[in-house]
């Protein structure tokens, strides 16, 4: 048998496009976050709260990723910020080429903060670089405190953990200290924020962190 | 899951590394899959078989090389491997660690029959 050495990453093409995107962000002074979570953790609600908090101070653009429908883009556009909806038609995550294409419809010069809301999925989006500055993983207390142990890759690849729906803590079987402990065991460098998008509690602290990063 | 699109990427990589005439000679595609890559090896193999069936790569099989998750500790210097990937050293508990292996998803080499 003849052996041909290859040693090439399977996602090399995605990574090359992600580097191209990162260059565009740097050139235009855009700080980009890739928001990831399971479906229903409250990513879109957090996007809405961040937009409200930064209103008039920080120029935000949003890329919404969903398997189907433009419902999230409709929600976000009510806040008068530029938003592009990517519909993956069954795809379980966003890939760099989809994000790169959607950038044509956004004005990066006028963008300080770009929020990319990924498809709700705690598995696949962890493996795809979209050119972002950081991944922000959102988890809600209704999902239980064991999720960081079950989906470690997402927590290892994220810089920030936002724990949402803390207003529901009295009603659900979730020990938030255990949740944080599990997350920090997987990734001790995670910056953790506790928020409720319903009451608004904790959102300001998360926004202060974002503002200091921009 | 996205193993099908990964299998397509792998086939593209194979095609970029052999000539059109050599394609039918490929018998084995060796892929390294890290424990922390998020990829289900069986699904990847299944996808590869499904989309190469009846094509020039019909006789090629995919061989998966499993790579464990290993960590090097910057404090105690130990190298450890845990079943659940975590960045906390399982020996001394330090957070000053570096991933040595486990996130690989790489086409390593091809084996072609010589005629």
């Amino acid at each position: 048998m003849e052996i041909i050495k290859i040693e090439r990453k399977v996602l090399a093409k995605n990574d090359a496009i992600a580097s191209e995107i990162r260059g565009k962000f740097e050139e235009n002074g855009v700080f980009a976050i890739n928001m990831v979570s399971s479906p229903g953790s409250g990513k879109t609600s957090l996007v809405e709260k961040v937009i409200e908090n930064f209103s008039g101070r920080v120029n935000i653009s949003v890329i919404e990723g969903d398997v189907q429908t433009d419902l999230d883009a409709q929600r976000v556009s009510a806040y008068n910020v530029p938003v592009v909806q990517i519909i993956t038609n069954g795809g379980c995550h966003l890939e760099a080429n989809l994000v790169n294409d959607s950038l044509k419809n956004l004005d990066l010069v006028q963008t300080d903060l770009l929020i990319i809301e990924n498809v709700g999925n705690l598995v696949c989006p962890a493996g795809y670089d979209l050119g972002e500055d950081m991944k922000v993983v959102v988890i809600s207390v209704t999902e239980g405190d064991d999720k960081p142990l079950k989906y470690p890759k997402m927590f290892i690849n994220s810089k920030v953990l936002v724990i949402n729906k803390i207003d529901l803590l009295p009603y659900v079987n979730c020990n938030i200290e255990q949740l944080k402990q599990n997350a920090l065991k997987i990734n001790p460098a995670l910056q953790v924020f506790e928020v409720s998008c319903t009451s608004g509690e904790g959102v300001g602290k998360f926004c202060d962190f974002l503002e200091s990063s921009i | 899951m996205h193993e099908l699109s990964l299998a397509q990427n792998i086939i593209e990589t194979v095609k970029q590394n052999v000539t059109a005439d050599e394609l039918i000679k490929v018998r084995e595609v060796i892929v390294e899959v890290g424990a922390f890559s998020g990829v289900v090896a069986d699904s990847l193999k299944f996808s590869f078989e499904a989309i190469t069936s009846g094509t020039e790569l019909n006789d090629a099989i995919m061989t998966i090389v499993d790579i464990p998750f290993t960590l090097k500790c910057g404090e105690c210097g130990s190298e450890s491997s845990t079943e659940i990937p975590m960045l906390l050293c399982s020996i001394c508990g330090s957070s000053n660690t570096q991933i040595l292996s486990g996130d690989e998803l790489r086409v390593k080499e091809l084996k072609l029959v010589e005629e």
Side-chain angles (χ1 to χ4, degrees), chain B residues 39-56:
Chain B
V39 171
V40 183
D42 284 346
S43 302
L44 190 62
K45 277 183 83 163
F46 176 81
S47 301
F48 181 82
E49 281 166 24
I51 52 181
T52 53
S53 171
T55 72
E56 298 99 320

Side-chain angles (χ1 to χ4, degrees), chain A residues 12-22 96-97 100 129-131:
Chain A
K13 199 169 152 190
N14 183 81
D15 292 351
I17 300 171
S19 297
E20 191 189 318
I21 294 173
R22 195 161 276 121
N97 64 329
N100 204 22
D129 184 4
L130 304 179

Side-chain angles (χ1 to χ4, degrees), chain A residues 91-173:
Chain A
C92 52
H93 58 275
L94 292 181
E95 294 191 11
N97 64 329
L98 295 173
V99 172
N100 204 22
D101 286 347
S102 67
L103 291 182
K104 291 171 194 150
N105 300 311
L106 291 174
D107 184 356
L108 292 184
V109 178
Q110 295 298 323
T111 302
D112 303 317
L113 171 65
L114 174 68
I115 305 176
I116 305 168
E117 185 185 332
N118 218 311
V119 176
N121 178 349
L122 265 186
V123 186
C124 313
Y128 290 81
D129 184 4
L130 304 179
E132 74 273 3
D133 289 284
M134 60 173 68
K135 283 190 176 68
V136 173
V137 57
V138 181
I139 186 167
S140 57
V141 298
T142 55
E143 293 162 57
D145 47 41
D146 56 358
K147 290 304 167 288
L149 301 177
K150 288 186 169 177
Y151 302 91
K153 184 170 177 150
M154 195 60 100
F155 292 82
I156 285 185
N157 286 359
S158 297
K159 282 215 171 117
V160 174
L161 165 63
V162 176
I163 303 173
N164 189 23
K165 307 188 190 178
I166 55 168
D167 53 306
L168 296 181
L169 271 171
Y171 313 107
V172 294
N173 185 19

